[in-house]
Amino acid sequence: MMDGFWLLIDALSLLVSVAMFALYHWYIRDALKKNGPLATTGSAMISAYSQWTDVILSDPVKYGIIGLQTLRNHQQGSQLLASTSCLLALSVMGYASADIATERRIKLSLLACALLSAFFCYMSVLRLLIQISYFLQAEAIPKSLILEHFHKAAVYYKVANRSLYFAMPMGIWIILSPAMPVVTLLLVVALYHTDVTVFYGQDHVAAVPGDVQGEGAAITSRCGVHQA
């Protein structure tokens, strides 16, 4: 009887936490539509990508080294996070393969899936950034293709970060499942303060140049980038 009760608590805690996390991202997505492209840090990067690319392409001899160094820094960060996610996933899978209770093995397997998803996404970011570093040196590559790669990288980076973030309440879920929704709520509050900019709640669409806004919006609708 008690086993069934705790299984129900485990399932409810997971469902409530997933729903809370999903609703938060739906809220941010909806707020972005109402408050303009500068409402969140991720959406503000859409215009930053375009302007940064313009600067690098305007004088490759002068700004080429700066552009490649910027990309290299991002690549190193993604590589570090990918390695960390992979090591954590292998550690969790190693523990899950031990002689433990079935319900704990299921929880550890779900946690490993989240970490492996983060690993895959970080590696995808790394691959796209390497391609961009070559695109910047090729005159035949149009700016639109470079921006599309930037925004695809932003999608993967966003998913990877969220997977790692959600691994925190999942870790608490394994130890004490009723505490998972509380940790998820604290996580959502922390993410809100990092995702929202000072322009949230104000109409600053005019602050973004028209060509950048139009080009960024077109690529964003194709790639699904709303925030990092």
Side-chain angles (χ1 to χ4, degrees):
M1 185 68 179
M2 288 300 296
D3 290 341
F5 172 77
W6 282 111
L7 286 175
L8 179 61
I9 294 298
D10 288 342
L12 288 177
S13 299
L14 180 61
L15 290 176
V16 169
S17 298
V18 170
M20 196 182 306
F21 206 60
L23 285 173
Y24 165 73
H25 287 88
W26 176 85
Y27 169 79
I28 290 294
R29 182 188 179 115
D30 185 65
L32 181 61
K33 297 178 181 178
K34 298 178 180 178
N35 295 277
L38 300 182
T40 66
T41 54
S43 60
M45 287 300 294
I46 295 174
S47 60
Y49 289 147
S50 181
Q51 296 176 42
W52 182 86
T53 305
D54 283 337
V55 171
I56 301 301
L57 295 180
S58 64
D59 192 346
V61 176
K62 182 178 180 180
Y63 299 111
I65 299 299
I66 298 176
L68 292 178
Q69 185 62 46
T70 302
L71 289 173
R72 182 184 300 174
N73 293 339
H74 198 176
Q75 290 171 15
Q76 290 176 344
S78 299
Q79 186 174 8
L80 175 63
L81 291 171
S83 301
T84 303
S85 302
C86 184
L87 290 174
L88 289 174
L90 292 175
S91 300
V92 171
M93 287 188 293
Y95 183 58
S97 62
D99 187 15
I100 57 177
T102 302
E103 62 178 79
R104 184 170 290 262
R105 181 178 289 112
I106 293 175
K107 291 181 178 181
L108 290 170
S109 299
L110 292 175
L111 177 58
C113 288
L115 295 171
L116 288 175
S117 298
F119 167 74
F120 171 79
C121 292
Y122 283 129
M123 290 303 298
S124 299
V125 172
L126 185 61
R127 174 177 61 87
L128 290 166
L129 292 177
I130 291 174
Q131 293 174 355
I132 291 173
S133 64
Y134 284 98
F135 288 169
L136 289 175
Q137 306 300 317
E139 297 182 357
I141 300 298
K143 174 189 171 184
S144 59
L145 182 59
I146 297 175
L147 286 180
E148 189 162 358
H149 271 60
F150 263 129
H151 292 128
K152 286 181 180 179
V155 172
Y156 282 117
Y157 201 74
K158 167 188 171 181
V159 174
N161 285 339
R162 304 307 173 177
S163 297
L164 273 186
Y165 290 150
F166 197 69
M168 291 187 288
M170 290 190 71
I172 299 298
W173 182 51
I174 296 174
I175 302 173
L176 183 63
S177 56
M180 185 183 185
V182 178
V183 176
T184 305
L185 179 61
L186 295 175
L187 175 63
V188 166
V189 172
L191 288 178
Y192 176 81
H193 288 286
T194 57
D195 287 338
V196 173
T197 68
V198 294
F199 296 126
Y200 180 79
Q202 306 175 33
D203 187 7
H204 284 264
V205 177
V208 182
D211 57 337
V212 174
Q213 181 181 330
E215 188 172 11
I219 298 176
T220 298
S221 64
R222 294 201 304 272
C223 299
V225 179
H226 297 283
Q227 58 160 346

